[in-house]
Amino acid sequence: MDAEEKPAESDNMEERTLSAKNETSVSPNSSQDTAPLGHPRDNTGQSEAFGSPGDRAVYPPNIYAPQAQAFYCRDMEVAQCYLDGNADAVEFCTHEPYHNVLAAATYTLQEGDRPSRTGSISLFDVNPDMGRFELFYRVETVGIFDIKWSPVVGNVGPMLAQADADGYLRVHGLECCSNGGDSLSLKEIVGKKISSSMCLCVDWNPSTTSISVGLSDGSVSVVSFLESQLNVIQEWKAHDFELWAASFDIHQPQLVYTGSDDCKFSCWDLRDGPFNLVFQNSKVHKMGVCCIAKSPRDPNILLTGSYDEHLRLWDVRSISKPVNETSVCLGGGVWRVKYHPYVPGVVLAACMHNGFAIVKIDEEKGEVMETYTKHGSLAYGADWQRGNLSHKVKQNSSVVATCSFYDRLLQIWIPESSVVKQL
């Protein structure tokens, strides 16, 4: 299938998907009036590769992009900025002592005689102790669909993986600038075109030795990352339509979970070849599967989010049906789900056209504890800040970063719910 996108032209179009398939096609069990949500689309198919390192423009530390102006208040009630492009992903660094570093990515369709997809990665210093929210680095890239910081393993430093619209997988390292001092920047370690299709999602395995990538043609790639080299070691056609989720099992890294616009949720065992399907559920999700998150504490529990507006809780020992049959309706397509780094059973969800939600999940049910609706566009990126927060901030709960697409807004906020004040 060609990866086709179309820009939003009206409020109605803003509620239609960027699924990279033909506009006349919709996911099984859905209708034209309830087409799933996603990034905006163009009709150009794949653009020529223009994201090689030599084509990139880098903004040095402390030089602000013209449209990215940060605002903050000392009591951390709110902090915000507008990015240089359509915002679709935010990720706090997982490594000490860099928990203050927030990466934000963009994807923007540039129309014209030769349409192209452009993007950027911006790094911010988010320091709740000092009430500080500062942009300190930015690099222009091809349009980005997903970014992910590497997990903490041994003495391996922080790395940021990038999945982009030109079919490239890139890995950047966070390091001190060459001019000395404490300034940080991203340096591309390696980049490789792994597909003629668009790279839609990315995930690290727990040892950082391989990366899974979901592709717009429904395939999944497993790419080894050894000695600063990327090599595709397995690739197979996993789904019929766009593959929006491809996640390693953090407890059993030989397993990879995938979710797609074909409404199927699957699990694959990498030990016995790429076509060893462990299970596939095609009956529960009424629209495409957007995200998958394994519980960091319970090896049997897993969450899926779907365009059908439901967050579902699964027990992987009984995968034929969700643990909670009724699931949790969040009032918008569930694009991203992030478990709280410290509080068990608490997740942050990006709900597309219904803002963001904090959900408490236990064995019996899921309950929405709080919603955040101060974004004016599609809610896509969301993450919790990690690290040892000050006593003052502990009393005010966790710090959250969220971003929305068309209005290009990045927000830093603190939940009010008592469920996340158990630090």
Side-chain angles (χ1 to χ4, degrees):
M1 302 177 87
D2 292 332
E4 297 182 353
E5 303 160 3
K6 188 170 183 178
E9 297 175 352
S10 66
D11 291 340
N12 181 56
M13 280 303 302
E14 185 176 72
E15 295 187 358
R16 298 185 70 83
T17 182
L18 146 130
S19 325
K21 59 177 178 289
N22 189 287
E23 284 213 314
T24 59
S25 300
V26 294
S27 297
N29 303 318
S30 64
S31 69
Q32 293 285 359
D33 294 331
T34 58
L37 303 174
H39 298 293
R41 299 188 288 185
D42 65 64
N43 289 318
T44 62
Q46 292 289 23
S47 60
E48 295 180 0
F50 59 90
S52 60
D55 295 334
R56 294 170 159 211
V58 176
Y59 288 75
N62 301 319
I63 301 298
Y64 284 72
Q67 299 179 28
Q69 298 179 351
F71 307 90
Y72 61 88
C73 59
R74 291 291 179 179
D75 60 6
M76 289 300 290
E77 290 179 356
V78 66
Q80 68 176 28
C81 77
Y82 292 92
L83 299 179
D84 57 293
N86 298 333
D88 61 353
V90 290
E91 294 280 328
F92 275 108
C93 186
T94 53
H95 294 247
E96 293 183 347
Y98 306 112
H99 291 144
N100 61 304
V101 175
L102 173 69
T106 66
Y107 169 101
T108 303
L109 173 65
Q110 304 288 345
E111 298 184 89
D113 294 336
R114 298 186 62 186
S116 62
R117 303 175 183 89
T118 61
S120 65
I121 299 175
S122 300
L123 297 183
F124 294 86
D125 178 4
V126 181
N127 190 321
D129 293 335
M130 303 296 294
R132 186 166 65 243
F133 177 50
E134 295 179 353
L135 170 68
F136 65 86
Y137 180 84
R138 176 176 169 267
V139 59
E140 291 184 352
T141 72
V142 69
I144 296 175
F145 284 97
D146 196 16
I147 53 175
K148 189 68 63 64
W149 288 104
S150 59
V152 178
V153 179
N155 296 321
V156 180
M159 296 176 291
L160 187 69
Q162 166 190 332
D164 69 38
D166 274 357
Y168 275 81
L169 172 63
R170 303 184 190 276
V171 177
H172 311 267
L174 183 67
E175 58 182 41
C176 293
C177 292
S178 57
N179 59 2
D182 297 328
S183 297
L184 296 171
S185 66
L186 286 176
K187 179 180 180 180
E188 183 170 308
I189 299 172
V190 63
K192 184 171 184 175
K193 187 176 179 68
I194 65 169
S195 177
S196 59
S197 298
M198 296 191 291
C199 295
L200 302 181
C201 59
V202 63
D203 190 38
W204 293 85
N205 79 345
S207 64
T208 72
T209 56
S210 63
I211 301 170
S212 60
V213 183
L215 303 174
S216 59
D217 68 353
S219 299
V220 57
S221 287
V222 177
V223 185
S224 67
F225 178 65
L226 298 170
E227 299 180 348
S228 299
Q229 297 294 319
L230 294 172
N231 291 291
V232 177
I233 54 176
Q234 295 184 22
E235 182 172 312
W236 67 98
K237 182 74 170 179
H239 292 271
D240 299 325
F241 300 140
E242 293 75 21
L243 200 152
W244 294 114
S247 301
F248 282 99
D249 187 313
I250 57 178
H251 302 102
Q252 302 179 79
Q254 75 275 9
L255 301 179
V256 171
Y257 301 101
T258 59
S260 165
D261 261 6
D262 61 10
C263 305
K264 296 176 182 178
F265 163 45
S266 307
C267 178
W268 311 84
D269 192 330
L270 303 180
R271 294 172 298 183
D272 301 322
F275 301 106
N276 183 17
L277 180 63
V278 179
F279 68 76
Q280 186 171 84
N281 186 293
S282 59
K283 298 180 180 179
V284 171
H285 299 96
K286 305 307 179 185
M287 291 184 181
V289 180
C290 305
C291 58
I292 299 170
K294 187 75 182 294
S295 168
R297 292 175 174 82
D298 189 334
N300 299 315
I301 297 301
L302 178 147
L303 299 174
T304 60
S306 171
Y307 287 128
D308 65 15
E309 304 186 353
H310 284 78
L311 178 68
R312 292 179 172 87
L313 177 67
W314 302 79
D315 188 324
V316 295
R317 296 167 299 182
S318 178
I319 207 66
S320 61
K321 62 181 185 300
V323 172
N324 181 2
E325 287 286 358
T326 59
S327 65
V328 186
C329 182
L330 299 183
V334 184
W335 184 255
R336 284 287 179 269
V337 174
K338 297 290 183 67
Y339 273 94
H340 195 287
Y342 310 121
V343 184
V346 173
V347 298
L348 172 67
C351 306
M352 294 184 172
H353 59 286
N354 198 38
F356 299 85
I358 294 174
V359 184
K360 175 64 176 176
I361 294 176
D362 56 34
E363 296 181 356
E364 300 296 328
K365 62 178 181 178
E367 181 181 1
V368 177
M369 307 303 297
E370 183 175 346
T371 58
Y372 185 81
T373 58
K374 294 184 179 179
H375 287 264
S377 182
L378 294 176
Y380 274 153
D383 201 14
W384 306 93
Q385 187 175 37
R386 297 153 183 82
N388 297 317
L389 305 182
S390 69
H391 177 74
K392 175 184 176 182
V393 174
K394 281 185 178 181
Q395 296 303 310
N396 287 285
S397 179
S398 303
V399 176
V400 168
T402 52
C403 70
S404 44
F405 197 73
Y406 295 110
D407 59 5
R408 305 183 174 191
L409 180 60
L410 168 64
Q411 293 268 25
I412 308 297
W413 52 281
I414 295 173
E416 297 178 353
S417 173
S418 60
V419 73
V420 291
K421 296 183 179 181
Q422 305 171 21
L423 303 177

